[in-house]
Amino acid sequence: MILYEDTRQKTGLHTMKHDRWRELGIEMFRMKLDHGDYMLDPNGRISVDTKQNMSEIATNIGSDHMRFRNECIRSKDASCQLIILVENLDDIRSINDVPMWVNPRKTQWDIKRDLGMKCRPVPPISDERLMKSMQTMESRYGVRFEFCSPEESADRVLELLGA
């Protein structure tokens, strides 16, 4: 089996996944993918985009919202199921668990504001707003959000791709 990885995926940061796939005899081929980070077929209908933690997806949906939304729209327009796999150590296993997560950037912003310190004019996204945004993106653009621990990620990518 060949697993295609997007060339924009940073090298050296995904060794746990790569090691697991090597163990399973899966060949990796890097190329520019139109959607997500991993596909079984570069012209396939399912793509998995991995996020290293809750903070990364919060940034994508918060301050990088337009770029992230446009990626979801492109995927939908291409009839490709985009699955966002959020690796985390926060015991977040579903969208309904997202309000349990406390955004550390929001907490820092609140502390600075309360102390009268200079901070960005717009606070980072809250846990509740993040969950609602994810739900909206699922219904509006067909993107799917899944969650796992970093140790589970390699196997979850394969499972989500239908391997």
Side-chain angles (χ1 to χ4, degrees), residues 67-82:
R67 182 198 58 78
F68 186 73
R69 181 184 68 98
N70 289 341
E71 181 179 354
C72 294
I73 290 169
R74 279 192 312 274
S75 181
K76 181 181 179 183
D77 289 348
S79 299
C80 181
Q81 170 69 65
L82 180 61

Side-chain angles (χ1 to χ4, degrees), residues 5 10 12 15 29 44 48 55 57 64 81 95 104 114 136 151 162:
E5 179 181 52
K10 293 177 184 159
T15 54
F29 185 80
V48 175
S55 290
I57 192 63
D64 292 343
Q81 170 69 65
I95 286 180
D114 291 346
T136 298
E151 296 79 20

Side-chain angles (χ1 to χ4, degrees), residues 37-67:
D37 298 326
Y38 302 102
M39 297 180 91
L40 288 179
D41 175 351
N43 299 312
R45 297 288 170 228
I46 301 174
S47 179
V48 175
D49 191 359
T50 56
K51 302 299 176 188
Q52 71 179 346
N53 53 38
M54 290 297 297
S55 290
E56 183 179 5
I57 192 63
T59 299
N60 288 161
I61 290 177
S63 57
D64 292 343
H65 184 78
M66 292 303 286
R67 182 198 58 78

